[in-house]
Amino acid sequence: MSVTFRLNGQTTRFHDDPMTPLIDVLRREKFLTGAKPVCREGFCGACTVQVDGEAQMACLKPMGLLDGREVTTIEGLGNGREPLHPLQVAFAAADVVQCGMCFPGMVMALSAFVRDHPEADRTAIKTAMVGNICRCTGYERIIDAVVDHLKDGAAPKAELADV
Ligand code: FES
Ligand code: FES
């Protein structure tokens, strides 16, 4: 099967088994290794990307469903002018990352959430994180950083050079 889709703003094609999971195509064919295949069963969220702007688990997304869709990975989340999304800058400025394994997925899920819920409170942020497991259990600091990010009206003032 042939699938044509957009990947981080570029048109790209896939010719193979339509049941191939997106996570394998990203990592093995496109060499985009930000999304992590940790559980491969939809439980951990480490593989989260955005499809048409919505957070989706790449381990559960067959390529056959992606024809004509827009896929964004952590590598493509910056706006082309800035390499990092403001939420990534907020996380770095708050020094919340520990091992980092969960972070690409966490950023992809939460960046979609804050875009759609700029007024979100702490409870709503916690609910939005249920699909993303952090084995280092840094949840409170992550929530603090998201709250700060929303309080700042999006972009924190941290200098990219400092993070
Ligand atoms: S690897 Fe996809 S949800 Fe865990
Ligand atoms: S920072 Fe280690 S799993 Fe989240």
Side-chain angles (χ1 to χ4, degrees), residues 13-77:
R13 287 179 186 78
F14 168 81
H15 305 277
D16 208 330
D17 181 351
M19 292 307 291
T20 306
L22 172 60
I23 187 73
D24 290 342
V25 174
L26 293 177
R27 295 179 60 89
R28 296 174 187 169
E29 293 186 21
K30 306 301 180 187
F31 306 110
L32 296 171
T33 56
K36 305 287 187 265
V38 175
C39 71
R40 288 185 170 274
E41 293 183 339
F43 292 122
C44 74
C47 64
T48 305
V49 298
Q50 292 176 9
V51 177
D52 295 337
E54 299 303 318
Q56 304 266 321
M57 293 177 189
C59 69
L60 298 182
K61 185 61 70 180
M63 289 304 298
L65 294 181
L66 291 174
D67 197 51
R69 314 289 293 274
E70 178 90 39
V71 175
T72 306
T73 69
I74 190 79
E75 291 89 349
L77 196 59

Side-chain angles (χ1 to χ4, degrees), residues 96-103 106 133-139 142:
V96 298
V97 181
Q98 296 182 73
C99 82
M101 184 62 92
C102 69
F103 260 79
M106 197 76 81
I133 294 172
C134 176
R135 290 160 186 78
C136 301
T137 67
Y139 296 108
I142 295 169

